[in-house]
Amino acid sequence: MTPLSPFELRLPQSVRFGRGAALAAVPEILRFGARVLVVHGRDPGRSSALRDALDAVGAVTFSVACPGEPTLPMLTAALEEGRARHPDTVVAVGGGAALDLGKALAALLPAVEDPLVHLEVVGQGKPLSAAPLPCVAIPTTAGTGSEATKNAVIGVPEAARKVSLRDARMVPDLAVIDPSLTDGTPVAQTLASGLDAVTQVIEPYLCTRATPFTDALARPAIEMGLHALVALVEEGENPGARDRLAYVAHVSGIALANAGLGAVHGLAGVLGGETGASHGVICARLLPRVLHALRASDALDQRTQLRLAEVCALIDAIVPGGLDGMEGWLTRNGVARLPALSAADRERIAGAAQAASSMKASPVAFSARALADLLNDASPVP
C-alpha cells in the first residue's frame, strides 16, 4: 500500500449545529467572559435575540456594524471602537463579511502593531504577536464557512485587492451553525452564497493538497449541496434543504482550511478587490468556466481527471441544464453577471491572481493568458 502523505488539522475547538443552536450557546459564550463585543451585519436585528439573551444572564454587550465586505479603514475604525470597550470575547453574527470582521477584531484587539504588519500581499504577512481574544462565529448565510477557517478577508481599497489576515490561532473557539438563521434568504443570494460553499468543497476535492480527512467531508458535501440548492431554487423554502446547505457551508470551511482551493478563488480575491463584486456572485459565475478549463487541460494527473469527471457528472445529473446550462440557470434565478472588464483589466487581474494564496493548490498551474481567457469568457466587454 502507498503510505499516506502527512497532514495537519485546524478545527474550531467546539461546534454546535442545529436549529436553535444560537440561543442554546449562550452559557458557553459566557464562559469566555462577561464583556462581549457583538459584530453584526447590515441588519442589527439579526443579532438582537442573541444580545437580549446575553444581557438577560448578566453579560455586558457592545456592538459593531459590518455593513459590507470589510475593508482596512472599516477594520481600523472598529479596532479603535473595540479597544475603548475592553471586551473579553468577540461574537460575530452575520454573513461571511461580518464573520471576517469579527475574526479580524478578535485577532488584532490584543495586538500593538498596525494591521498592515499582519496582512498578506499588501503588508508584511507576519504572524500575530499576541494570542487573539476568544471568538465565537455564528453564520446567518450558508456560504463562506468562515466560522471554520484561520483567516479573515479584508479589502484594501488603495491597493484594489482583497487579502487575508491569517494565523492558525484565528480559527474560532466556538462555531455555532443554526440553520434557522438562514431561513427566508432570497433565491439569488441563496444561489450565489450556496455556490460559494459548493465551490469550497469542489476545489479542496480537486486540489493538490487533498487529504483523506478533507475528502471524507468534501465528496459527499458536493452532492448534498447541489441537491439542497436545486430544491431551494426550484421548489421554494425548505427547512431540510436549508439545514443541509448550512452543513455544506460549514464543512466547506473545514475543507478549504485543511486542504486548499483553486482557480475560482484565486481569481475571486483579485476580481472582488478590483470591482467590488460580491464574492458569492464571482464564485458562482466562475465555477462552470473553471471546470470547463480544467476538463480541457492536458496537465491533470489520472487521479484528478477521475475526480473532475465525478464532479462534472454530479452537476450534469443534479443542476437544471447541467454544467453547460449552469450560467443560464444562474441568470434565470437573478444572480448578477460579472462586471464588464477591458482587455487590460483582464490581463492585470489574471497576473495578480497567479500569485494568490488560493491558487497554490490548483491542480493546474494556469498561465496568465489562460486566466485572462477565463475572464474573457465569463465577463462582458465594456
Side-chain angles (χ1 to χ4, degrees):
M1 286 189 178
T2 304
L4 289 176
S5 299
F7 63 89
E8 296 181 359
L9 296 177
R10 299 287 181 185
L11 304 167
Q13 291 183 20
S14 180
V15 175
R16 285 177 172 261
F17 181 95
R19 290 179 171 261
L23 294 182
V26 165
E28 193 170 352
I29 294 170
L30 268 188
R31 285 200 282 271
F32 295 121
R35 296 179 66 82
V36 182
L37 177 62
V38 178
V39 179
H40 61 76
R42 186 176 288 107
D43 179 7
R46 302 299 291 273
S47 65
S48 59
L50 180 66
R51 285 193 62 182
D52 290 346
L54 287 167
D55 291 340
V57 292
V60 179
T61 61
F62 324 99
S63 66
V64 168
C66 181
E69 294 188 0
T71 63
L72 183 55
M74 189 190 301
L75 172 59
T76 301
L79 282 169
E80 185 176 348
E81 187 175 350
R83 284 176 178 140
R85 301 291 195 169
H86 304 288
D88 298 315
T89 186
V90 175
V91 177
V93 185
L99 267 55
D100 276 356
L101 181 61
K103 289 164 64 179
L105 286 172
L108 294 177
L109 281 169
V112 295
E113 301 92 348
D114 185 277
L116 274 172
V117 171
H118 306 291
L119 288 178
E120 297 177 347
V121 183
V122 300
Q124 298 174 46
K126 290 187 175 180
L128 300 174
S129 56
L133 292 179
C135 181
V136 179
I138 307 175
T140 61
T141 61
T144 67
S146 183
E147 73 278 0
T149 65
K150 59 187 176 184
N151 69 302
V153 178
I154 306 296
V156 184
E158 58 230 33
R161 293 293 297 273
K162 291 181 182 179
V163 298
S164 279
L165 171 68
R166 191 186 309 271
D167 190 286
R169 294 167 292 178
M170 286 177 60
V171 179
D173 299 270
L174 171 62
V176 181
I177 300 92
D178 183 338
S180 69
L181 299 178
T182 72
D183 288 348
T185 305
V187 168
Q189 184 181 352
T190 295
L191 192 48
S193 61
L195 279 173
D196 181 19
V198 169
T199 301
Q200 289 175 176
V201 285
I202 289 175
E203 291 196 311
Y205 186 59
L206 299 178
C207 81
T208 59
R209 297 202 295 254
T211 73
F213 179 86
T214 58
D215 286 349
L217 292 176
R219 172 58 182 83
I222 297 168
E223 190 167 2
M224 184 187 293
L226 290 170
H227 276 301
L229 273 176
V230 171
L232 288 165
V233 170
E234 302 295 320
E235 301 167 19
E237 196 61 34
N238 180 320
R242 290 284 180 201
D243 291 357
R244 285 167 176 77
L245 195 57
Y247 169 81
V248 170
H250 180 59
V251 301
S252 81
I254 297 173
L256 76 87
N258 290 285
L261 289 165
V264 174
H265 280 83
L267 284 164
V270 184
L271 187 56
E274 286 262 357
T275 67
S278 157
H279 179 75
V281 167
I282 294 171
C283 290
R285 288 294 182 179
L286 288 180
L287 176 61
R289 295 292 179 176
V290 169
L291 291 176
H292 278 300
L294 288 172
R295 198 155 59 174
S297 172
D298 58 5
L300 293 178
D301 60 26
Q302 186 177 22
R303 164 196 164 278
T304 311
Q305 287 176 9
L306 292 172
R307 291 184 176 214
L308 177 62
E310 252 187 302
V311 169
C312 293
L314 285 172
I315 294 173
D316 283 340
I318 297 168
V319 174
L323 183 60
D324 290 340
M326 197 170 187
E327 291 194 76
W329 185 56
L330 297 176
T331 301
R332 289 193 302 275
N333 288 289
V335 176
R337 292 191 61 83
L338 294 183
L341 298 171
S342 69
D345 290 337
R346 294 188 185 102
E347 290 175 10
R348 183 178 64 257
I349 290 167
Q354 281 190 300
S357 58
S358 294
M359 201 70 81
K360 293 178 181 176
S362 171
V364 171
F366 287 110
S367 67
R369 178 71 268 149
L371 293 174
D373 288 344
L374 274 172
L375 293 173
N376 185 56
D377 289 341
S379 64
V381 176

